[in-house]
Amino acid sequence: MIKLKIKSGDTVKVIAGDHKGSEGTVLKVDREKNKAIVEGVNMVSKHTKPSAQNPQGGIVKKEAPIHISNLSLIDPKSGDATRVGYEERDGKKVRFSKKSNEVI
C-alpha cells in the first residue's frame, strides 16, 4: 500500500481523465483501492428501484470514485495545483505545499 497524501476534507483538482480541470472537496478516501470520492466530480447515473426511502425510484446522480493519481492538492495560498511534502515543524509532523512551503 502506498502513502496517500490526500485526505478527507482536502480541496483537490483533477489533473487527468474525463473530468480534467474540475475542482472539489474530498468526501471519502479508500486506502485499499487508492481511490477517492470528490464532491461534484465524476458524477454517474444510477438506476434505482422504488423503496421505502425512495418511493419513486428512478435515476439518481452520485459521485463515483476517482484514482488518487488523477488528483492534485490545491495550494491554499495561490489556488494552483501543488505537490505535498512532509516534514517536522515544532516537534510535529505536518503536510506542506511544495509551491508555497505553507502548512496545509
Side-chain angles (χ1 to χ4, degrees):
M1 192 170 355
I2 63 170
K3 173 84 172 149
L4 300 181
K5 297 186 177 186
I6 293 176
K7 301 178 189 234
S8 297
D10 287 344
T11 305
V12 295
K13 185 174 189 175
V14 180
I15 57 172
D18 292 342
H19 303 281
K20 183 177 181 178
S22 302
E23 295 181 7
T25 305
V26 177
L27 300 174
K28 184 179 175 187
V29 176
D30 186 355
R31 293 180 55 91
E32 291 178 8
K33 295 181 182 174
N34 294 330
K35 294 191 176 206
I37 296 177
V38 182
E39 185 177 18
V41 177
N42 200 19
M43 299 294 285
V44 294
S45 299
K46 182 176 181 184
H47 298 264
T48 58
K49 291 170 76 172
S51 66
Q53 289 181 344
N54 188 7
Q56 281 293 94
I59 300 171
V60 177
K61 291 269 193 186
K62 62 180 267 183
E63 292 98 354
I66 188 166
H67 201 272
I68 292 286
S69 66
N70 295 337
L71 301 175
S72 181
L73 202 65
I74 292 184
D75 186 15
K77 193 172 186 180
S78 68
D80 295 331
T82 183
R83 292 180 296 156
V84 178
Y86 286 90
E87 68 181 10
E88 197 169 309
R89 294 185 184 176
D90 300 326
K92 292 185 178 180
K93 186 177 177 183
V94 295
R95 291 187 309 162
F96 69 96
S97 166
K98 292 220 176 174
K99 258 189 185 172
S100 64
N101 204 20
E102 194 164 311
V103 175
I104 299 173

